[in-house]
């Protein structure tokens, strides 16, 4: 399939969420259902990838090269996008003890044609060096398009601007909230949202807040007019760190889904974000009568199988 800038998947719907805490405090919560964008290129990974795929095609690239962990939603989405849009894919995976059967994510990626390089955790830190090595092994990098780990670059911001545009066409939020991994998604939302909307990022990693704040500023350095007073990064809801969870989180998710049967969450990002939103609401963080839009960034391929 040929992708062009006018290639559009249907606009993702918004849905009003029920939760007794929201009733009690008088806050309206709306979920932007980016998890419904595509069954396997879902959520923010599609938003971030779209204009990168257009660019790759314009450059005549034959292959997408990217980086990630064994459970990475970005690896999953890249493999799927390669299959759908006709690129070969190469995933450079953190952990030289792994193989294509090590996780459901890698299995799926392999089934969709992704080739792998498994590198040690130390070597993984130096991405330039890995690419240099590939060149020496005659991997034809000139025919490859490089997507950074997590997919966040300036072309990703362009896709995220379309997310903000859709939200403003669908509703008038006082707050927009998203889960944060590497920060690209929240940076894109911040850059493309309007005052007075307040933008809140709920960090899914432990001890990452300051570094993330710098990364977000860096990613937005070409957007000098950004008002960081409209932006809050919260790291009280990481549940012990990236991909860590406990029974409190799983019980919250089960409860949330029982109130909103058409919605599924996962425990790495969206479950933590919604836990955070409900906790903040309960503590009176949001003004009574205000409207909060939470972005469902997808990631359901990694949903814990006890949910
Ligand atoms: C990757 C991912 C995020 C984090 O996005 P960043 O742009 O890295 O902050 C959030 N939610 C889901 C479901 C993801 O897959």
């Amino acid at each position: 399939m040929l992708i062009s800038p006018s290639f559009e998947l249907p606009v993702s719907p918004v849905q009003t969420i029920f939760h007794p805490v929201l009733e009690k405090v008088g806050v309206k919560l709306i979920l932007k259902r980016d998890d419904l964008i595509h069954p396997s290129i879902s959520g923010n990974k599609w938003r971030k990838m779209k204009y990168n795929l257009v660019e790759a095609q314009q450059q005549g690239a034959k292959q997408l090269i990217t980086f990630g962990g064994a459970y990475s939603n970005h690896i999953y989405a890249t493999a799927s996008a390669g299959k759908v849009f006709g690129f070969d894919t190469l995933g450079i995976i953190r952990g030289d003890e792994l193989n294509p059967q090590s996780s459901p994510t890698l299995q799926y990626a392999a089934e969709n044609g992704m080739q792998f390089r498994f590198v040690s955790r130390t070597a993984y830190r130096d991405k330039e060096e890995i690419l240099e090595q590939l060149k020496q092994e005659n991997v034809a990098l000139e025919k490859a398009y490089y997507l950074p780990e997590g997919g966040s670059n300036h072309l990703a911001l362009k896709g995220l601007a379309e997310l903000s545009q859709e939200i403003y066409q669908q509703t008038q939020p006082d707050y927009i909230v998203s889960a944060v991994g590497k920060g690209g998604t929240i940076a894109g939302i911040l850059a493309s949202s309007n005052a007075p909307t307040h933008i809140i990022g709920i960090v899914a990693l432990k001890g990452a807040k300051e570094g993330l704040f710098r990364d977000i500023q860096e990613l937005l350095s070409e957007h000098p007019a950004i008002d960081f007073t409209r932006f809050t990064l919260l790291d009280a809801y990481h549940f012990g760190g990236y991909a860590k969870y406990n029974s409190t989180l799983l019980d919250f998710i089960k409860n949330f889904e029982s109130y909103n049967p058409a919605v599924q969450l996962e425990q790495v990002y969206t479950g933590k974000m919604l836990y955070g939103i409900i906790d903040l609401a309960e503590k009176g963080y949001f003004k009574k009568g205000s409207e909060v839009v939470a972005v469902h960034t997808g990631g359901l391929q990694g949903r814990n199988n006890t949910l």
Side-chain angles (χ1 to χ4, degrees):
M1 195 193 295
L2 205 64
I3 185 167
S4 77
S6 62
F7 174 87
E8 293 297 344
L9 291 162
V11 167
S12 70
V14 287
Q15 174 180 349
T16 302
I17 292 302
F18 175 79
H19 196 283
V21 168
L22 300 169
E23 295 272 290
K24 193 175 78 188
V25 299
V27 167
K28 184 170 181 186
L29 175 60
I30 291 177
L31 196 61
K32 172 66 171 161
R33 296 291 308 272
D34 268 17
D35 58 313
L36 299 177
I37 287 180
H38 188 278
S40 56
I41 322 173
S42 80
N44 65 341
K45 300 301 183 281
W46 166 253
R47 300 283 185 186
K48 295 199 274 192
M49 212 175 288
K50 177 177 171 186
Y51 287 99
N52 279 290
L53 294 176
V54 171
E55 177 66 21
Q57 219 157 46
Q58 282 169 356
Q59 289 178 10
K62 300 281 175 265
Q63 185 183 43
L64 306 173
I65 297 184
T66 198
F67 290 83
Y71 294 87
S72 158
N73 292 334
H74 171 68
I75 288 292
Y76 189 97
T78 303
S80 180
K83 174 102 176 186
V84 171
F85 297 109
F87 297 98
D88 295 336
T89 52
L90 173 62
I92 297 159
I93 309 297
R94 184 175 63 240
D96 55 0
E97 78 286 8
L98 300 173
N99 66 64
Q101 301 306 315
S102 296
S103 72
T105 304
L106 295 180
Q107 277 167 32
Y108 172 90
E111 280 159 20
N112 283 275
M114 187 175 260
Q115 304 284 312
F116 299 113
R117 283 295 167 109
F118 295 97
V119 303
S120 74
R121 278 147 223 275
T122 322
Y124 187 81
R125 293 194 202 119
D126 193 346
K127 313 262 183 312
E128 293 296 322
E129 174 64 32
I130 294 170
L131 292 175
E132 189 53 41
Q133 187 134 13
L134 286 177
K135 221 183 280 177
Q136 279 169 20
E137 293 170 30
N138 284 326
V139 177
L141 291 187
E142 70 280 0
K143 290 201 177 133
Y145 184 85
Y146 168 67
L147 282 167
E149 184 178 34
S152 298
N153 58 11
H154 74 280
L155 284 172
L157 300 180
K158 200 169 158 184
L160 287 158
E162 294 181 348
L163 166 62
S164 296
Q165 274 162 23
E166 286 178 25
I167 291 173
Y168 285 106
Q169 277 160 16
Q170 291 165 316
T171 187
Q172 281 91 45
D174 298 297
Y175 304 86
I176 300 176
V177 189
S178 174
V180 174
K182 301 232 174 288
T185 301
I186 204 72
I189 293 170
L190 178 60
S192 55
S193 61
N194 314 320
T197 311
H198 198 90
I199 308 304
I200 301 171
I202 300 199
V203 181
L205 292 67
K206 186 176 172 178
K209 185 169 147 175
E210 277 161 29
L212 277 169
F213 205 93
R214 280 194 298 276
D215 293 348
I216 290 165
Q217 283 176 318
E218 164 87 28
L219 202 56
L220 297 179
S221 57
E222 285 168 31
H223 292 252
I226 289 175
D227 174 10
F228 279 91
T229 63
R230 282 202 295 119
F231 178 52
T232 305
L233 209 48
L234 292 173
D235 70 349
Y237 303 108
H238 57 65
F239 284 86
Y242 178 71
K244 302 253 164 65
Y245 59 91
N246 60 20
S247 59
T248 306
L249 181 61
L250 296 183
D251 289 347
F252 169 82
I253 292 174
K254 285 177 198 154
N255 231 331
F256 182 95
E257 291 176 351
S258 73
Y259 294 135
N260 303 279
V263 182
Q264 285 194 324
L265 304 177
E266 42 68 54
Q267 72 289 347
V268 182
Y269 292 108
T270 53
K272 291 180 183 180
M273 169 186 70
L274 280 152
Y275 183 97
I277 291 172
I278 298 299
D279 187 60
L280 291 168
E282 189 147 42
K283 290 174 173 156
Y285 183 93
F286 304 111
K287 279 194 296 287
K288 192 179 165 93
S290 61
E291 186 176 300
V292 180
V293 168
V295 179
H296 194 316
T297 42
L300 292 170
Q301 68 97 6
R303 182 174 147 93
N304 183 282
N305 59 18
T306 68
L307 284 170

